[in-house]
Amino acid sequence: QEGMAPDRILSLTFTNKAAGEMRERLEPLIGAEASSAMTVGTFHGLGLRLIQEEADRLGLFRPVCLLDAGDQAVCVRQVLSELKLDPRRHDAQRLLNEISRARHANMSPEDLKRASGGGPIGRVYAGYMERKRAQRAADFDDLILMPVQLMRENAEIRQRWQERWDAILVDEYQDTSASQFAMVQILAEHHRNLAVVGDDDQSIYGWRGACADNILAFERHFPDASVIALEQNYR
């Protein structure tokens, strides 16, 4: 309605299901051609697109080799074997969860070792990252962490991705993590045309990194923002 080209609009949400619902609602609103031209998906989908395009800069194979949960568990068990740690006493998935939380909190293996009181988790973390690098592969966390780090460190790549879109829309904003917030902040830095929707009362994914402060402190992060309160519940 305001004359912005659909392919200049990026719309993000947290899950594939929610992204599918957004696509279904867009078509009757703006038509099939315009809705298909928009970039609509998840943070991780966008991250995968970025690292596929920038694989050479990241030292990854092209197409990117993405480790699934099973691959990650195998990798951790191999590290446990190398460290002569009993896999029956050290659950691979629990270790991966701890490593994931540490990575999203920007903690190094040494940081995690100190935080754990000198336990083996720091060495497992270091071994896991080394094995992943040796395979020139990425895991699910890398889909957010690698793009954020690359755009922070490389001005040319940051500018190229910032200039792809003129507007960014984010749904279910209360479910975003600190690293997903960083991705949005970097991408919106150039045009500062960002709209988010969310409800801090519905933030229930803290256990997997969701940070309700992203929406509670939105006006602090973006002091020139307009806030529209949706106080009427139609359900």
Side-chain angles (χ1 to χ4, degrees):
Q1 288 178 335
E2 297 182 9
M4 184 176 290
D7 64 351
R8 303 293 298 169
I9 302 172
L10 169 66
S11 188
L12 295 171
T13 189
F14 195 69
T15 65
N16 289 322
K17 181 182 178 183
E21 289 177 0
M22 285 203 294
R23 290 191 196 94
E24 289 173 9
R25 294 180 188 188
L26 277 168
E27 189 167 329
L29 284 172
I30 61 175
E33 185 177 351
S35 63
S36 64
M38 283 180 60
T39 301
V40 180
T42 65
F43 283 93
H44 288 88
L46 175 63
L48 179 59
R49 176 176 169 182
L50 190 149
I51 67 173
Q52 292 279 22
E53 291 191 30
E54 310 292 350
D56 295 339
R57 298 287 188 108
L58 291 164
L60 300 173
F61 285 120
R62 193 191 297 268
V64 170
C65 173
L66 195 61
L67 303 179
D68 62 20
D71 297 326
Q72 290 179 275
V74 168
C75 191
V76 166
R77 282 193 285 269
Q78 289 171 339
V79 172
L80 290 172
S81 177
E82 289 173 359
L83 296 174
K84 295 181 171 50
L85 294 170
D86 187 349
R88 291 169 297 185
R89 293 184 57 199
H90 301 279
D91 179 69
Q93 191 54 58
R94 183 184 62 78
L95 293 169
L96 282 165
N97 290 342
E98 288 187 52
I99 291 168
S100 177
R101 282 192 292 271
R103 294 179 67 197
H104 282 283
N106 202 30
M107 294 172 70
S108 70
E110 278 301 313
D111 293 333
L112 186 55
K113 181 181 178 180
R114 282 192 293 271
S116 67
I121 182 63
R123 289 181 293 151
V124 176
Y125 178 6
Y128 171 74
M129 296 298 288
E130 184 54 44
R131 278 191 163 271
K132 187 161 61 69
R133 276 192 294 270
Q135 295 178 46
R136 294 178 66 185
D139 62 19
F140 194 65
D141 290 328
D142 287 323
L143 300 184
I144 304 297
L145 297 172
M146 279 185 172
V148 169
Q149 183 177 359
L150 184 63
M151 288 190 290
R152 279 176 172 163
E153 294 175 353
N154 190 304
E156 176 194 342
I157 291 173
R158 179 170 65 249
Q159 182 178 353
R160 184 163 69 245
W161 283 88
Q162 286 175 340
E163 292 178 350
R164 286 208 179 187
W165 298 285
D166 295 323
I168 300 175
L169 316 173
V170 184
D171 193 23
E172 303 291 356
Y173 192 68
Q174 76 280 349
D175 289 336
T176 55
S177 66
S179 47
Q180 288 166 332
F181 165 74
M183 180 184 279
V184 169
Q185 193 174 39
I186 292 168
L187 290 173
E189 190 178 48
H190 176 69
H191 51 66
R192 297 188 61 75
N193 192 359
L194 170 68
V196 308
V197 180
D199 179 358
D200 56 284
D201 285 337
Q202 294 186 44
S203 182
I204 59 173
Y205 293 111
W207 55 275
R208 66 181 184 196
C211 179
D213 187 60
N214 289 348
I215 194 162
L216 292 171
F218 190 82
E219 291 171 272
R220 190 174 77 241
H221 297 139
F222 303 97
D224 52 342
S226 299
V227 178
I228 302 168
L230 305 176
E231 296 172 334
Q232 180 67 44
N233 190 337
Y234 290 95
R235 290 181 179 175

